Amino acid sequence: MDRDLNLKRAETFSFVNPWIRYFLFFFSFLFWVFSLLIIAIGVYAKIQKATDTVRDTFLIDPAVILIVVGVVMFFITFCGCIGALRENIRLLKTFSLSLTLVFITQLAIAVLGFFYSDQTRGALGEFVKKAIVHYRDDLDLQNLMDHIQKEFKCCGWNDYMDWSWNLYFNCTRENPSSERCAVPYSCCAPVPGEAVVNTMCGFGVQTQKFLEANKSIYPVGCADKAVLWIETHLLLVGALALGLALPQIAGIVLSQILISQIQDEISSVL
């Protein structure tokens, strides 16, 4: 009887821990659904554009960035989800390797951004310059720039004069635009008690000196304000970085444990 009991236990025994397997499945499934949501938002934003995106802004188009990020997430989480459910070693290895590459890439960008801060600032400056140049051509870029300037209380990248890069705001005499020498309303400092936002508050500001412009807008560039914000919110930045890294590390560790358990299961059968 003991022999029959031992045989029964041997038949039901598995090296694969069901808690790890199903936790990895639901973990991947959750982010898989999230990736579909990101893709849907990106596609919707792309379809809703009133005009076609300018070629020069394709790589910095927020809608395109959302779609690319969503597709990458979809591929990675799909491998983890199906790999855990079907105990497929190849899919689990693909999931683990992809997550590892993403994590290393993010870590490398963070380290390079810290040690090569001037080059990073220059690269971000090029991004913002393109956003300013095509401010009126792409609604997503316009909303992004307005949001950044409102949140950081800044104007332009270096200062408010950067808006001369834009065709409509260019402050040359040859410019026939009605917005010549102006800045977007998102640069303007709110007036106490003002119920309706004056969208023309930045008109003619580029003809004014810094101290004079400071009376109606935020003349400081977003580059300096961003650095100041990071320095005063180091705890929040660290928490966000940790919150981004922990799920990736957890996915890598769990997938490697599950791969090892599946291999032990296969070895025991052979």
PDB file of all heavy atoms in Angstrom, residues 27 40 54 254:
ATOM      1  N   PHE A  27       0.634  38.511 -14.177  1.00  0.00           N
ATOM      2  CA  PHE A  27       1.521  39.673 -14.255  1.00  0.00           C
ATOM      3  C   PHE A  27       1.689  40.111 -15.714  1.00  0.00           C
ATOM      4  O   PHE A  27       1.542  41.287 -16.057  1.00  0.00           O
ATOM      5  CB  PHE A  27       2.871  39.301 -13.635  1.00  0.00           C
ATOM      6  CG  PHE A  27       3.950  40.328 -13.808  1.00  0.00           C
ATOM      7  CD1 PHE A  27       4.064  41.407 -12.933  1.00  0.00           C
ATOM      8  CD2 PHE A  27       4.885  40.224 -14.838  1.00  0.00           C
ATOM      9  CE1 PHE A  27       5.064  42.346 -13.085  1.00  0.00           C
ATOM     10  CE2 PHE A  27       5.880  41.160 -15.001  1.00  0.00           C
ATOM     11  CZ  PHE A  27       5.984  42.220 -14.117  1.00  0.00           C
ATOM     12  N   ALA A  40      -4.205  51.470 -28.587  1.00  0.00           N
ATOM     13  CA  ALA A  40      -5.507  52.026 -28.962  1.00  0.00           C
ATOM     14  C   ALA A  40      -5.516  53.552 -28.842  1.00  0.00           C
ATOM     15  O   ALA A  40      -6.019  54.254 -29.731  1.00  0.00           O
ATOM     16  CB  ALA A  40      -6.608  51.418 -28.088  1.00  0.00           C
ATOM     17  N   VAL A  54       3.970  66.024 -40.217  1.00  0.00           N
ATOM     18  CA  VAL A  54       5.129  66.395 -41.029  1.00  0.00           C
ATOM     19  C   VAL A  54       6.213  65.329 -40.847  1.00  0.00           C
ATOM     20  O   VAL A  54       6.420  64.816 -39.752  1.00  0.00           O
ATOM     21  CB  VAL A  54       5.659  67.782 -40.584  1.00  0.00           C
ATOM     22  CG1 VAL A  54       6.844  68.201 -41.460  1.00  0.00           C
ATOM     23  CG2 VAL A  54       4.550  68.823 -40.670  1.00  0.00           C
ATOM     24  N   LEU A 254      11.260  35.871 -12.115  1.00  0.00           N
ATOM     25  CA  LEU A 254      10.210  34.851 -12.127  1.00  0.00           C
ATOM     26  C   LEU A 254      10.297  33.968 -13.372  1.00  0.00           C
ATOM     27  O   LEU A 254      10.114  32.749 -13.287  1.00  0.00           O
ATOM     28  CB  LEU A 254       8.836  35.511 -12.058  1.00  0.00           C
ATOM     29  CG  LEU A 254       8.441  36.135 -10.714  1.00  0.00           C
ATOM     30  CD1 LEU A 254       7.114  36.853 -10.826  1.00  0.00           C
ATOM     31  CD2 LEU A 254       8.368  35.066  -9.625  1.00  0.00           C
TER      32      LEU A 254
END
